[in-house]
Amino acid sequence: MIYEVKKDDIIMLIDDTVFFAEQPKAFKTMFREQEDPDNPGYAEFDDYRAYLTELDRILFSPVKQNL
């Protein structure tokens, strides 16, 4: 599935069927910058939480917005 991942004014289309190592360099950099130091492999963006699995896959979970 393709996810529209946003962080501030940056928007990227990320395919979760592609291994993390093969994702665009800009996304990998953004993931590492947002990665929680107390929870490696977890990063939060404006609209999704992303989890990097041991199998080098990215799992996305939507961030709930207060309405």
Side-chain angles (χ1 to χ4, degrees), residues 10-53:
I10 300 170
I11 299 173
M12 295 186 189
L13 297 177
I14 303 300
D15 185 345
D16 70 346
T17 65
V18 175
F19 288 111
F20 183 77
E22 302 302 318
Q23 295 290 352
K25 183 178 179 179
F27 174 73
K28 293 188 288 186
T29 299
M30 187 168 67
F31 182 91
R32 294 299 184 201
E33 289 171 353
Q34 298 305 312
E35 193 171 18
D36 183 346
D38 296 325
N39 192 3
Y42 169 81
E44 190 162 320
F45 302 98
D46 293 346
D47 49 354
Y48 288 101
R49 291 179 185 96
Y51 303 90
L52 178 58
T53 71

Side-chain angles (χ1 to χ4, degrees), residues 1-15:
M1 187 167 163
I2 306 288
Y3 292 87
E4 185 176 273
V5 179
K6 301 175 187 175
K7 184 62 183 169
D8 301 324
D9 61 344
I10 300 170
I11 299 173
M12 295 186 189
L13 297 177
I14 303 300
D15 185 345

Side-chain angles (χ1 to χ4, degrees), residues 49-61:
R49 291 179 185 96
Y51 303 90
L52 178 58
T53 71
E54 292 180 9
L55 300 175
D56 200 39
R57 295 283 188 184
I58 296 286
L59 303 176
F60 291 101
S61 175

